[in-house]
Amino acid sequence: MPPVHRRLHINLDTTRLDREHPLYHIDAETLLVATYVWVDDQLKALQAQGMRLPKPQKHQKATLPELLTIALFLTFLGLDLSKGYLLSQSLLRPYFPSLPHLSRFLRVLQNAQPLLAHLALRLAQGPSLLHVVDLKPLPMAHGHRIRGYALPGSGIGVGPLGGFAGYALVGVINDRGLFHRWALLPGNARETWARGLLEGLEHVLGDRGFRWVEGVLTPPYRLRGGQVVETGWREWMGRVRNWIETRFSVMVRSLGLGRVEARSYWGLVARVNLVLLAHNLIRSRVLLKMAGVEL
């Protein structure tokens, strides 16, 4: 059976050490195996600590570690979950000979949304000297479809492409570039709505929209009448605050955050948590270390 990376036609000859996505450094088959080993080890560790995992579906084919591995692998490849899963049923059959129907796969993933968030948070554990916060619009409907969009907690906001119906992802990263706090807010959310997410954090940087949130340091801003309010902002802080813009760009460009689709609110939460977990896995370089790659 030919290796997975040959059938996917992934070119690995352009490896660069300044790129962090695993497929720049290892082949797809190694990535698949490393992902499964990591997921399986993490779930066994959580069970040993007394955490209850989602119950298997009735007559469920494949195990929870196998299905989470497939979901992460498709996210690493930037594929749509539904289309990618249909492809994996034939492409990954040598590795997962018995897979459930697509609807069952999505149901298992939805039920595992707290587990996905927990795994992402475990990767971001540890002290941090600095935090950066920002909002990212998650449009779910545009144009005439806005009126018909009515998932719980959604709202109508304005994004880069104009008006949209959907949500806003507020995320907080630590000094290692890992997301360790996040929440889904209505699409019309303002920065002040994220106040509760920042409780207990010190040394938080944000853009000017967070100037009304206590404890967040922002660039200088101008009041009506032209008066400039100095905030103690330093030149290097602008580069640090841009870290989160880069993290959001990676998730949109490479991990499919801008193409998230779901028919239910909890299905949406599961997919967002999956993307955040994939991002933290890539950024922490855990899978590369498991494969013996040191950057």
Side-chain angles (χ1 to χ4, degrees), residues 8-256:
L8 290 177
H9 302 291
I10 296 176
N11 183 9
L12 302 176
D13 297 332
T14 58
T15 301
R16 291 182 55 185
L17 296 180
D18 61 338
R19 295 181 176 179
E20 54 188 22
H21 197 291
L23 288 178
Y24 283 113
H25 309 281
I26 59 178
D27 57 70
E29 187 175 23
T30 303
L31 174 60
L32 179 66
V33 173
T35 303
Y36 175 78
V37 172
W38 183 84
V39 171
D40 190 54
D41 288 347
Q42 292 296 313
L43 296 190
K44 289 179 179 178
L46 292 177
Q47 284 183 310
Q49 296 170 9
M51 181 175 179
R52 298 181 60 182
L53 301 182
K55 294 182 179 180
Q57 297 286 314
K58 186 177 181 180
H59 307 302
Q60 176 178 317
K61 298 179 181 179
T63 64
L64 180 60
E66 291 176 338
L67 297 178
L68 293 185
T69 297
I70 293 175
L72 281 170
F73 185 67
L74 296 177
T75 305
F76 290 145
L77 297 180
L79 298 177
D80 175 80
L81 272 186
S82 299
K83 297 178 182 178
Y85 184 74
L86 295 177
L87 177 64
S88 67
Q89 286 182 315
S90 58
L91 185 63
L92 301 181
R93 187 172 296 277
Y95 304 91
F96 309 105
S98 180
L99 292 177
H101 188 270
L102 172 62
S103 60
R104 180 66 59 87
F105 167 71
L106 296 177
R107 194 176 307 121
V108 170
L109 192 63
Q110 177 175 321
N111 292 339
Q113 59 87 12
L115 177 61
L116 295 172
H118 185 77
L119 292 175
L121 290 173
R122 283 172 66 93
L123 290 168
Q125 286 180 346
S128 179
L129 301 177
L130 195 63
H131 306 88
V132 187
V133 61
D134 201 5
L135 287 177
K136 178 65 179 177
L138 292 181
M140 308 298 292
H142 291 93
H144 67 278
R145 298 178 57 192
I146 291 179
R147 296 183 179 179
Y149 190 81
L151 282 189
S154 64
I156 299 177
V158 179
L161 300 180
F164 72 92
Y167 300 86
L169 173 64
V170 53
V172 183
I173 65 172
N174 56 25
D175 52 14
R176 291 174 290 152
L178 301 175
F179 285 90
H180 69 110
R181 290 189 183 184
W182 64 85
L184 278 180
L185 301 178
N188 59 339
R190 301 193 177 193
E191 286 80 356
T192 53
W193 296 19
R195 182 180 289 109
L197 193 66
L198 304 176
E199 291 183 1
L201 294 181
E202 297 181 356
H203 310 297
V204 183
L205 303 182
D207 59 23
R208 291 180 178 87
F210 287 91
R211 63 184 180 272
W212 307 118
V213 180
E214 184 179 359
V216 179
L217 188 61
T218 68
Y221 56 91
R222 192 180 301 272
L223 299 176
R224 291 183 180 179
Q227 181 183 357
V228 177
V229 178
E230 296 294 339
T231 60
W233 190 263
R234 299 292 182 264
E235 183 178 357
W236 59 269
M237 292 180 179
R239 295 192 296 272
V240 174
R241 203 210 68 82
N242 285 338
W243 288 351
I244 195 167
E245 300 288 351
T246 303
R247 298 296 100 208
F248 279 139
S249 296
V250 168
M251 292 195 297
V252 170
R253 182 182 65 252
S254 302
L255 303 180

